[in-house]
Amino acid sequence: MQAPLRRSPEQASDTELVLSADVPLDNLDPWPLTVATYNIHGAVGTDGRFAPERIAAVLGEIEADVIALQEVPLGGSAQPDVLDLLRRSTGFHAVEGPTMQTPDRRYGNAVLSRYPVLATQSIDLSFGSREPRGALDADIDCRGHMLRVVATHLGLKPAERRQQIKRLLQAFDTDQAPVILMGDVNEWFVWGRALRWLVSHFEAAPAPRTFPSRWPLFSLDRIWISPRHRLLHVEVHQTPLARVASDHLPLIAHIDG
């Protein structure tokens, strides 16, 4: 029997090379890594126009490696699949975490990643009769370096957010890989109890203002990483396009391995 053909390192994917040990991990170091979180407001801009192509253009400006998205239309009979458009535009891997699902409309969180997503799970953060909320927990293989990304969108009421943060913190039960929590936490008060709990778990991180996008006053969008020393720099993406594409500005963080 003829032996199966083996692809050269140039033809094989990064993950295949790592698993087969054809390439040392040191030569596939992805660090430093750029991550971002972006509430895209259903792809409806501050001018009231539904324009997912503008969101795609903003993502092109950011040039992040991993992006957490909130308020993403995920398809259905009554709306387009914006995540699929963004996946095709970026060429990234895309995974979804719907929080609302009907035959007409699917909607929720998503993660776009330059690197393969090995596993995902959805964390239900719904609270009573409030709008369903959740978090998308994704394990990403960054060229052999495992990264855990949690993308979330918390509720509008303080009691709701406190309960949701408790559930999220319970989910961080491993120290086997860096954990990045990103999303719209909807916390308007600097010393809100939910924020204090997150800071006590992750340590303090810079929180530039991201909302509303035309004149940012509030730090609703946040990025935390554990261990904290991996976080190098946090910044807001404030271009003319970003100010109109959504009512939130993207938040970007640079991390090291």
Side-chain angles (χ1 to χ4, degrees):
M1 180 185 300
Q2 183 178 5
L5 294 176
R6 190 174 188 182
R7 287 186 289 176
S8 68
E10 290 78 12
Q11 294 173 305
S13 71
D14 292 339
T15 301
E16 289 172 325
L17 291 172
V18 168
L19 294 177
S20 65
D22 281 339
V23 172
L25 290 181
D26 290 345
N27 294 338
L28 290 172
D29 191 346
W31 316 108
L33 199 71
T34 301
V35 301
T37 184
Y38 192 14
N39 183 327
I40 69 170
H41 195 231
V44 176
T46 54
D47 57 0
R49 187 162 68 89
F50 174 73
E53 68 277 3
R54 293 192 299 205
I55 300 296
V58 171
L59 297 185
E61 292 179 343
I62 292 172
E63 296 185 333
D65 301 295
V66 180
I67 307 161
L69 301 172
Q70 303 86 45
E71 296 192 19
V72 184
L74 300 170
S77 61
Q79 70 175 10
D81 187 339
V82 171
L83 180 60
D84 185 60
L85 181 149
L86 299 178
R87 177 190 61 79
R88 289 184 279 109
S89 173
T90 59
F92 281 15
H93 303 274
V95 290
E96 62 179 46
T99 55
M100 300 196 323
Q101 297 193 72
T102 69
D104 294 335
R105 184 171 181 256
R106 300 176 66 252
Y107 187 80
N109 302 303
V111 169
L112 289 168
S113 172
R114 187 183 307 276
Y115 300 105
V117 180
L118 301 184
T120 64
Q121 67 171 332
S122 292
I123 303 172
D124 184 9
L125 300 179
S126 299
F127 181 82
S129 61
R130 305 288 300 171
E131 176 185 333
R133 302 281 182 174
L136 175 59
D137 190 347
D139 292 333
I140 298 173
D141 180 0
C142 298
R143 293 182 171 178
H145 300 262
M146 196 61 61
L147 184 68
R148 184 179 182 188
V149 171
V150 181
T152 193
H153 188 187
L154 303 186
L156 297 175
K157 296 290 187 180
E160 183 181 6
R161 289 193 296 273
R162 289 194 293 269
Q163 185 64 24
Q164 290 163 344
I165 292 300
K166 286 181 180 179
R167 294 183 199 171
L168 280 175
L169 293 180
Q170 289 171 358
F172 299 146
D173 55 1
T174 177
D175 57 1
Q176 297 303 307
V179 175
I180 301 177
L181 174 63
M182 301 191 283
D184 178 357
V185 300
N186 264 325
E187 182 59 75
W188 303 78
F189 303 105
V190 175
W191 298 110
R193 193 181 305 175
L195 283 184
R196 294 203 306 271
W197 289 343
L198 285 169
V199 167
S200 67
H201 182 88
F202 286 100
E203 299 184 33
R209 298 171 181 177
T210 56
F211 179 87
S213 58
R214 285 194 180 275
W215 194 265
L217 297 174
F218 301 101
S219 303
L220 300 190
D221 304 278
R222 300 295 186 104
I223 299 176
W224 285 278
I225 181 168
S226 177
R228 171 64 175 81
H229 71 268
R230 296 179 186 271
L231 183 62
L232 302 179
H233 178 66
V234 178
E235 61 187 300
V236 177
H237 185 72
Q238 302 189 61
T239 61
L241 180 60
R243 290 185 184 277
V244 71
S246 170
D247 62 347
H248 287 245
L249 292 170
L251 186 67
I252 303 169
H254 303 280
I255 63 175
D256 205 340

